[in-house]
Amino acid sequence: MKTEIKGTTKLMALIGSPVGHSGSPAMYNYCIERDGLDYVYVAFDIQREQVDEMMKAVKLLDLKAMNVTMPCKQEVLPYMDELSTAARLIGACNAIRIDNGKMFGYNTDGIGFVKNLDAHGVTIKGQKIVIVGAGGAGIAVQVQCAIDGAKEISVFNPKDAFFENAVNKAKEIQEAIPQCKIQVYDLEDEECFRREVESCHILVNATRAGMKPMDDISIVKDVSLFRKDLIIADVVYNPKETKLMKQAKEAGCEKVIGGIGMLLHQGAENYRLFTGKEMPVQEIEEKFFS
């Protein structure tokens, strides 16, 4: 039976731009209806310069919770009453829970990544991880892996205008979580890349390589780097199987993990934060992502 919107129905939302393509409203509203909750989830196209007006509207309209996508992830930070450790270290917020007018900001991107690995029987604790890419996704993965007990993280990024920022962010994370050693390297240093991959447990693609329309690109040029016990994890979810994943499977890697699970587990974490309920991850994947 379809949930009826009533005078008591509370609003949850996605803000950012563009949002017209987002599958979040369908996914969350399906779960809301399934659990019989008195909420409705909608998307608002909000530009960076409109965030102040939106945050005033949040309190005026008494929103229950929000997801935040680009370009608003950093812009919402000053409005938070409290930030999770991950949101503070990443410097971006993708989920906001509102309780009695107070705003609690989270970043669940990295949690989605770690829970996706966990669902495939892969633990982060005590492992050495190589992450290619130090943009938003890469930093989120760095932070959550450090929080969850990774022993060492080697980050590779092109030596471009953002390289210094990657180095500074790694220092900030390590200062906050000193038990995890973090180093940043030039992606063009092939000898260094080989050395670090050969000594790591998990190789992560946190770039757009492999994403449509760059689906013919992989972060690994030399397929001899793949080995049976090297775990490959990709944050890209469209296509479901990237060139990196195909290479790894053909080379005999036993664990090759795609990005769709990261997306689903991030959504599940948000749903739990917003409603206290568990999202049926497998059911959602079959219904919306098969």
Side-chain angles (χ1 to χ4, degrees):
M1 182 176 177
K2 193 166 180 64
T3 302
E4 184 182 344
I5 296 176
K6 307 185 287 284
T8 56
T9 302
K10 291 290 185 182
L11 188 64
M12 297 196 290
L14 168 68
I15 67 167
S17 185
V19 293
H21 67 287
S22 176
S24 293
M27 180 176 74
Y28 285 109
N29 283 317
Y30 175 82
C31 293
I32 287 166
E33 183 178 335
R34 182 181 181 275
D35 290 331
L37 303 175
D38 193 17
Y39 306 129
V40 66
Y41 187 104
V42 297
F44 295 118
D45 197 296
I46 302 294
Q47 301 292 336
R48 183 182 284 110
E49 62 273 15
Q50 296 174 306
V51 166
D52 185 62
E53 291 177 79
M54 181 65 205
M55 300 314 278
K56 290 174 184 173
V58 165
K59 294 192 175 182
L60 179 66
L61 300 174
D62 193 24
L63 266 71
K64 168 75 176 178
M66 289 194 303
N67 286 124
V68 186
T69 189
M70 296 302 290
C72 303
K73 287 186 175 185
Q74 282 124 6
E75 300 302 316
V76 299
L77 291 176
Y79 299 89
M80 297 301 104
D81 295 290
E82 289 185 26
L83 280 173
S84 70
T85 299
R88 178 175 52 80
L89 287 173
I90 295 166
C93 175
N94 76 336
I96 302 170
R97 179 174 59 85
I98 301 123
D99 189 4
N100 293 321
K102 289 187 71 175
M103 296 192 190
F104 300 85
Y106 305 87
N107 193 304
T108 57
D109 288 330
I111 293 173
F113 175 82
V114 171
K115 288 196 171 184
N116 186 32
L117 263 60
D118 186 61
H120 286 83
V122 177
T123 183
I124 290 295
K125 191 170 183 178
Q127 306 286 18
K128 177 175 178 178
I129 303 164
V130 169
I131 302 171
V132 179
I139 290 171
V141 171
Q142 277 183 65
V143 168
Q144 198 62 46
C145 287
I147 288 172
D148 285 359
K151 178 180 70 175
E152 188 176 344
I153 300 173
S154 296
V155 180
F156 283 85
N157 201 69
K159 207 158 190 179
D160 54 19
F162 300 101
F163 190 82
E164 187 177 350
N165 180 65
V167 172
N168 292 335
K169 181 57 72 173
K171 287 178 182 175
E172 182 185 346
I173 298 167
Q174 184 158 4
E175 283 174 9
I177 310 168
Q179 61 270 29
C180 180
K181 179 185 175 185
I182 305 177
Q183 297 287 333
V184 180
Y185 302 102
D186 181 3
L187 184 57
E188 296 304 312
D189 190 336
E190 294 181 9
E191 185 178 335
C192 179
F193 186 69
R194 171 174 287 278
R195 182 183 70 240
E196 294 302 305
V197 171
E198 285 177 346
S199 63
C200 82
H201 302 91
I202 304 168
L203 173 62
V204 182
N205 173 39
T207 74
R208 293 183 180 181
M211 182 187 296
K212 291 182 178 180
M214 297 183 287
D215 41 335
D216 61 339
I217 298 173
S218 169
I219 59 169
V220 174
K221 299 173 184 175
D222 182 357
V223 294
S224 70
L225 282 172
F226 294 115
R227 60 181 194 274
K228 185 179 178 181
D229 65 338
L230 179 64
I231 296 160
I232 302 297
D234 209 320
V235 305
V236 173
Y237 62 87
N238 186 19
K240 272 191 169 183
E241 185 176 72
T242 62
K243 182 175 180 179
L244 172 69
M245 294 170 66
K246 289 175 185 174
Q247 287 176 315
K249 288 176 181 178
E250 288 169 3
C253 295
E254 292 187 335
K255 295 254 185 189
V256 181
I257 303 167
I260 193 70
M262 176 180 172
L263 178 72
L264 287 163
H265 284 284
Q266 176 226 52
E269 180 66 13
N270 292 341
Y271 190 67
R272 185 188 65 78
L273 287 169
F274 296 167
T275 69
K277 303 285 187 179
E278 296 299 321
M279 178 181 282
V281 172
Q282 187 173 347
E283 185 180 333
I284 293 295
E285 181 173 8
E286 290 170 358
K287 185 169 183 63
F288 294 99
F289 299 97
S290 59

